[in-house]
Amino acid sequence: MANPKITFIGAGSSVFMKNIVGDILQRPALAGAQIRLMDINPTRLEESEIIAKKLIATLDVPATVETYSNQRQALDGTNFVVVCFQIGGYEPSTVVDFEVPRKYNLRQTIADTLGVGGIMRGIRTVPHLWSICEDMLQVAPDAIMLQYVNPMAINTWAIAEKYPTIKQVGLCHSVQGTAHELAHDLDIPYEEIRYRSAGINHMAFFLNFEHRQPDGTYKDLYPELHRAYREGRAPKPGWNPRCPNKVRYEMMTRLGYFVTESSEHFAEYTPYFIKEGREDLIEKFGIPLDEYPKRCVEQIARWKQTSEDYKMADRIEVRQSKEYASSIVNSVWTGEPSVIYGNLKNNGVITSLPFNAAVEVPCLVDDNGLQPTFIGDLPPQLTALIRTNINVQELTVRALIEENREHIYHAAMMDPHTAAELDLDQIWNLVDDLIEAHGSMLPEWARGPRKQRVA
């Protein structure tokens, strides 16, 4: 059987690349894969090459590694494209996305998916994703893009809108990650859990969450989740003591369903938790303000040590991650079916959400590619909350497609958290300041003068 060619764009994200390559090479049918690493940072690219080669040596597989600084060359004839870059990085772009809003007393937690931070990240990210699509159309038109970049929903929507023939899926680990967390909170082995989730990226909900019984039947676990939260047994402490995960449990008591992305993310997708003068809410729900910059600083420091350890080591420990990439590659390449949660154009799969929106649903994967499963209508309260986020995504995509700077302001106006904290003049001035601060990181059309409003 031929060996797949798998290209990583943004391969300098070395830890992520290591996890995906390690997953791929542990699958027998993919052990001879040609791994192509592309990055514009030569130092990070070299580090990733060293790691990939040591993974191959550790696993004793016949895979090969090639490195590229030219995107189109890396894509030429490839079968799969794993995208994992961040335009602007922690510095300057993430710092800008937090510090400029802070001048307006607009506080954030993660700012990579929604809110003014997510909007600006989308405006600077999508043009480069489109450049990958352009190259794919020329040199790898049948390849599948496995897109791991935030803001996931905006990116996926924008690709589907401008390049509808590109085969793509947006991938996140929030569904399976949250399922593991809830199983842990209830002291139930994850392998005994059955669930179904649907919505949009970072705002999908478990429509059912069940425990397989010895007689083969399934027990609804929602009553136990409510009971555990009410009695203080859940949420249990997680990997990050700054993030106690109370927001999502509280929202479950109000909506009846548990959301799949973390509490620190969800707190800034709604107007209910981060409010000026309401420090009681911050304390009650343990909301970690400025969480993402703290993680970035910690990760950068950790990577300095880790990269040195990898360079010195003869072998690198390989563990299976929770990411879906290797499962997709294996299923498409071999025809062996699997089920993953992916982000794709809705196309009527969730009937209560807009047709063009990017939705996150269970997908069957085999040698026919990715096939989303039909969901139908979501419960009305979930649909209503999700639409508040889709409004922001749609306007950001419209800004990109039409090269219309006005829609950046409109997107910020519709953002639930921003609108709850700032008035219209503040929102428009904040967007102006963000555009100026990001400068050349943004496309040229976004940097022109703002049109004067007619009084």
Side-chain angles (χ1 to χ4, degrees), residues 74 143 173 186 218 253 335 390 439:
H173 48 242
L186 297 180
Y218 284 84
T253 69
I390 285 179

Side-chain angles (χ1 to χ4, degrees), residues 332-377:
V332 171
W333 200 247
T334 67
E336 178 185 345
S338 64
V339 175
I340 63 99
Y341 277 84
N343 293 269
L344 311 96
K345 182 178 177 180
N346 186 10
N347 281 338
V349 169
I350 300 180
T351 47
S352 56
L353 296 180
F355 188 85
N356 288 342
V359 296
E360 188 171 73
V361 295
C363 302
L364 169 67
V365 192
D366 58 19
D367 46 10
N368 290 307
L370 290 120
Q371 302 144 79
T373 60
F374 181 77
I375 300 297
D377 279 359

